[in-house]
Amino acid sequence: MWLDERLLSLFKRNFQPTLTYWSVFFSFGLCIAFLGPTLLDLRCQTHSSLQDITWVFFAQQFCLLVGSTLGGFFKRTVKQSLFLLFLSSLTISVVFAIIPFCGHVGMLALVLAIAGLAMGCIDTISNMQLVKIYQQDSAIFLQVLHFFVGFGALLSPLIADPFLSETNCIQSNATQNQSHNLEHIRNSLVPHHPGNVSHYVLPLQGASVTQVSYAFWIMAAINLPVPIAVFSLLYKEGMVPGCSIHSGGLLSEDELAMETHNGNDFKKIEAHEKHGHAVSKLCCQSKMLNAPYTFFAFHACAAITLFLTDGIVGEYSGFVYSYAVEQPLNLAHKTAGYLPSLFWAFITLGRLISIPVSYKMAPRSMLFINLIGVTATFLFLLFSQNSTTGIFVGTALLGLWLSSVFPSMLAYTEDVLNYKGCATTALVTGAGMGEMVLQILVGSVMQTQGSYSFLVCGICLSSLAFTLYAVFLVVDSLHNRESEDSTCKPPELDGEATSYQS
């Protein structure tokens, strides 16, 4: 068995919370990928133009970023985190259920904005809680967590596909003339960012004929066990108001430290553990002004690196189709439409492969290999820009290399900062900003400079990400661990000691 007994024992003691966080991230993936393929049917449902309906992308992405930051304010106790995860996962099921009833594009944008807030909270809290549970062993569990978001992102388009309209779903005199463009337009509306669709004119008046509602109701039903699982964990831990049942299944941060270090020098902390959920005061909250400069440098380098790498994920999945149908490749629209799906499929496969790899290899080494691989792949794509085989092979390789960057960076950064939970919010927010900002930036460059600039932007961004990671390694070598420990001491057993009880 590739897991040692200590890690298996720790996983067994935290089996339910770990599985709960993984399932909640499945909800995140399910919600992030459905919008692209269903957008034309939603346009028919709301009788809106393509330009108007694509604003729902911005509403979801912007509120996802806000939710990522908001989730950082609910991390002091396990109880707060679980209640917010319960509300967020339940919100996603409710959103899926009511989307078919949104008859106006403004109402649809509002509903998806609420879903974005829920997704952002899930992103921050799930990552943070797994880091707190497993600390220096968190890398492998973070890889599994991000596999679930990839699995959900693959599943939702597959659920929607049988219910998508094959012809224009607004029946009018112009329907027959516009139907041959439908597949081209749909492939332009990828999960993360809409392409340039302003030159397509589709009818706005007429009867709406679409069956996409069934897809959303199926996704709502599939997601419903997730909030039930979170509520079950709340009930088991005695966190539901009026419920006195408590089994003490979750390990506190200090109990984890004792198990990880075989109990040395930590037994005196047991006096503080009355409910098994105490979380020590975070250094970034209580001692930030006294922290060394490396504390801030770590956050900045890690957040900007993820800003760039997650931005690459968003811009590549968003514009690889537009790039492939233009010069020099001139792929058929249906053939080019497979590229975003291939990209996400290999991201999911890469996250699955990273699970056993992360047990044998340190996050620092995985990041180095990943970032080198991303840059090398863009160079390969540039040199094989006239090859159809090259674009497919390069897309698959890029998905593999990008797949484990986020969980590895999170595990590495929290390891450097002694697992105080300070980094998660900054890293999740940086990654979300990258997806939103770089899509707009690369799209603007492609519009003014042509499709060739798509790969040039990729090389520049990946090279910059690798440079920032090199700076991160330099900061790590300069970091004074003793200074960090003195700034972020764990609470002592005296009158001034403080702990957060759930």
Side-chain angles (χ1 to χ4, degrees):
M1 183 67 182
W2 50 273
L3 287 178
D4 60 44
E5 291 299 323
R6 181 187 60 81
L7 200 57
L8 279 174
S9 175
L10 189 58
F11 173 65
K12 289 176 181 178
R13 291 192 62 183
N14 292 277
F15 175 78
Q16 186 174 357
T18 302
L19 197 61
T20 301
Y21 296 134
W22 287 347
S23 67
V24 171
F25 234 53
F26 170 79
S27 292
F28 180 90
L30 199 65
C31 200
I32 202 172
F34 76 87
L35 192 54
T38 62
L39 203 65
L40 285 179
D41 289 82
L42 292 175
R43 183 200 73 84
C44 298
Q45 177 182 302
T46 57
H47 288 82
S48 57
S49 67
L50 281 171
Q51 282 183 309
D52 290 337
I53 195 66
T54 51
W55 276 101
V56 300
F57 280 103
F58 176 80
Q60 186 189 58
Q61 283 291 104
F62 177 76
C63 290
L64 192 156
L65 178 61
V66 174
S68 298
T69 306
L70 181 65
F73 293 102
F74 292 87
K75 62 185 181 183
R76 295 192 175 188
T77 65
V78 176
K79 183 176 182 179
Q80 287 182 355
S81 298
L82 286 177
F83 266 115
L84 190 59
L85 284 182
F86 170 71
L87 292 176
S88 297
S89 56
L90 183 62
T91 296
I92 289 177
S93 277
V94 173
V95 164
F96 280 138
I98 66 177
I99 282 177
F101 301 103
C102 295
H104 188 271
V105 67
M107 183 183 301
L108 180 63
L110 177 62
V111 168
L112 290 178
I114 295 173
L117 287 173
M119 293 161 64
C121 293
I122 288 172
D123 198 4
T124 298
I125 291 176
S126 297
N127 280 289
M128 179 195 62
Q129 290 299 328
L130 274 184
V131 168
K132 286 187 174 181
I133 289 177
Y134 293 104
Q135 299 197 4
Q136 75 264 29
D137 299 311
S138 61
I140 184 173
F141 298 98
L142 288 173
Q143 298 291 351
V144 179
L145 182 74
H146 287 264
F147 164 76
F148 274 94
V149 70
F151 178 65
L154 276 178
L155 185 61
S156 58
L158 294 177
I159 295 172
D161 186 69
F163 302 99
L164 299 179
S165 301
E166 295 183 1
T167 60
N168 196 307
C169 46
I170 292 182
Q171 302 300 314
S172 70
N173 293 333
T175 297
Q176 189 170 359
N177 295 330
Q178 295 293 337
S179 295
H180 69 280
N181 281 330
L182 194 65
E183 187 67 22
H184 186 189
I185 304 171
R186 193 183 303 282
N187 287 331
S188 300
L189 298 170
V190 294
H192 283 277
H193 186 78
N196 182 15
V197 294
S198 59
H199 59 285
Y200 294 109
V201 179
L202 292 172
L204 301 180
Q205 303 299 324
S208 176
V209 181
T210 175
Q211 296 181 321
V212 76
S213 301
Y214 297 108
F216 290 115
W217 289 331
I218 291 172
M219 285 187 276
I222 290 175
N223 185 70
L224 194 58
V226 177
I228 294 175
V230 181
F231 183 83
S232 174
L233 182 60
L234 281 166
Y235 181 82
K236 178 183 177 183
E237 298 303 321
M239 298 177 184
V240 179
C243 174
S244 60
I245 298 176
H246 177 73
S247 62
L250 290 178
L251 292 179
S252 71
E253 185 177 2
D254 295 322
E255 286 177 324
L256 286 164
M258 285 190 292
E259 181 156 332
T260 303
H261 294 84
N262 297 321
N264 295 333
D265 301 323
F266 288 98
K267 291 186 178 180
K268 63 179 182 179
I269 303 177
E270 288 180 339
H272 285 285
E273 305 301 321
K274 295 180 179 179
H275 302 288
H277 300 287
V279 178
S280 63
K281 182 178 287 187
L282 301 181
C283 59
C284 56
Q285 294 173 337
S286 60
K287 300 289 185 178
M288 182 173 288
L289 295 178
N290 297 324
Y293 75 93
T294 51
F295 176 84
F296 302 99
F298 277 131
H299 286 76
C301 291
I304 297 174
T305 301
L306 290 182
F307 174 91
L308 294 168
T309 54
D310 270 48
I312 290 173
V313 172
E315 63 90 6
Y316 193 87
S317 64
F319 293 109
V320 66
Y321 171 85
S322 300
Y323 167 77
V325 297
E326 302 291 342
Q327 293 285 353
L329 287 172
N330 288 322
L331 293 184
H333 299 314
K334 186 174 182 180
T335 303
Y338 292 123
L339 288 170
S341 299
L342 179 70
F343 181 67
W344 279 103
F346 272 81
I347 284 181
T348 305
L349 176 63
R351 287 170 176 170
L352 181 62
I353 295 172
S354 298
I355 295 171
V357 172
S358 62
Y359 179 70
K360 298 294 185 180
M361 185 180 296
R364 172 175 176 156
S365 301
M366 291 184 66
L367 280 168
F368 182 84
I369 294 173
N370 287 340
L371 295 175
I372 287 290
V374 171
T375 305
T377 301
F378 271 116
L379 289 172
F380 168 79
L381 286 168
L382 187 63
F383 289 129
S384 60
Q385 58 182 301
N386 296 319
S387 169
T388 301
T389 303
I391 188 67
F392 277 89
V393 172
T395 297
L397 289 174
L398 194 62
L400 283 175
W401 295 127
L402 286 167
S403 61
S404 59
V405 171
F406 185 94
S408 298
M409 177 60 81
L410 180 58
Y412 183 23
T413 307
E414 288 287 6
D415 179 44
V416 171
L417 297 175
N418 298 322
Y419 305 97
K420 299 299 179 182
C422 304
T424 303
T425 302
L427 267 58
V428 170
T429 303
M433 289 182 64
E435 285 201 39
M436 186 171 65
V437 173
L438 291 186
Q439 289 176 26
I440 298 173
L441 178 62
V442 173
S444 300
V445 172
M446 287 182 66
Q447 188 171 6
T448 57
Q449 303 298 322
S451 61
Y452 180 81
S453 60
F454 173 66
L455 297 180
V456 176
C457 287
I459 292 174
C460 294
L461 293 173
S462 59
S463 299
L464 188 57
F466 181 78
T467 302
L468 262 294
Y469 180 63
V471 174
F472 186 94
L473 295 178
V474 172
V475 174
D476 187 14
S477 65
L478 296 175
H479 183 54
N480 189 330
R481 300 266 181 172
E482 293 181 359
S483 175
E484 184 77 357
D485 291 340
S486 64
T487 302
C488 309
K489 283 184 179 180
E492 298 294 335
L493 296 181
D494 53 28
E496 298 178 355
T498 305
S499 63
Y500 293 101
Q501 300 291 337
S502 59

